[in-house]
Amino acid sequence: MKHIVVFASGSGTNFQAIINAVNSGQINARIKGLISDNPDCKALERAKQNDIEIKVIQPKNFENTQSFGSALISTLQTWKTDLIVLAGYLKKIPVSVIHEYENRIINIHPALLPKFGGKGFYGSKVHQAVLDAGEKESGCTVHIVTEEYDKGPILDQQKVPVYESDDVETLAQRILQQEHYLLSKVIGELIEDLNSKS
């Protein structure tokens, strides 16, 4: 069975959606572990409740990006990782990890890339930018992680309308529901693809 490792920094609702999709059989894989840079995040609680291994690895505890990357790779290798899913993870993935797991790291972004992506575009900042630009639609994107923020190949997108009455919170909520659906769908497809090749 293929092993998924999730990276999360926050409340972990996307992580929970992945757990639910694995439990329901939509994703034919095992969540081997959760890596977080935030020892107080709610995602860790979700992992504990579901008997998923946890590792808190904080960049600030390492001399440089290289040693941070080595620590991540060591954990990922221990867990025999097949697919890495960034589900609200706010740190840049070291280049060494991206090379080691090329085309096997995906991220969910709360906008329709290539619009509203790149450094500094995360969370509510993305939704505020969408509203400020007067966009009629937004949504979410699942893409392959490369060395540049939000520039990797797009795997799938889900659109949602932007209403005149929207504020950051209402737009974020509508997109988050679609994130849960889209992320699980893409992971399921990628795992099937990996299974067919092994």
Side-chain angles (χ1 to χ4, degrees), residues 1-4 28-31 80 82 191 194-195 198:
M1 186 168 270
K2 298 295 180 199
H3 289 174
I4 298 168
N28 180 24
R30 182 172 168 209
I31 303 172
K80 296 185 167 55
D82 295 296
I191 292 295
L194 286 170
N195 282 332
S198 57

Side-chain angles (χ1 to χ4, degrees), residues 128-174:
Q128 190 60 61
V130 168
L131 293 172
D132 290 347
E135 295 286 319
K136 294 283 183 272
E137 64 178 12
S138 189
C140 48
T141 304
V142 177
H143 66 94
I144 299 276
V145 174
T146 57
E147 289 179 38
E148 278 187 272
Y149 272 115
D150 302 329
K151 290 276 201 264
I154 290 170
L155 297 174
D156 206 350
Q157 293 184 314
Q158 194 73 15
K159 292 178 179 175
V160 304
V162 177
Y163 301 124
E164 281 184 22
S165 58
D166 269 328
D167 57 20
V168 166
E169 210 159 289
T170 56
L171 181 59
Q173 206 47 49
R174 195 176 314 119

Side-chain angles (χ1 to χ4, degrees), residues 78-119:
T78 301
W79 285 341
K80 296 185 167 55
T81 306
D82 295 296
L83 182 69
I84 297 167
V85 180
L86 310 186
Y89 184 73
L90 299 180
K91 293 283 183 258
K92 194 162 173 38
I93 299 293
V95 172
S96 58
V97 179
I98 291 169
H99 287 177
E100 184 74 24
Y101 291 91
E102 197 174 358
N103 295 326
R104 288 191 291 146
I105 308 175
I106 63 169
N107 179 50
I108 181 104
H109 183 77
L112 297 173
L113 292 174
K115 283 184 170 181
F116 307 105
K119 195 170 170 57

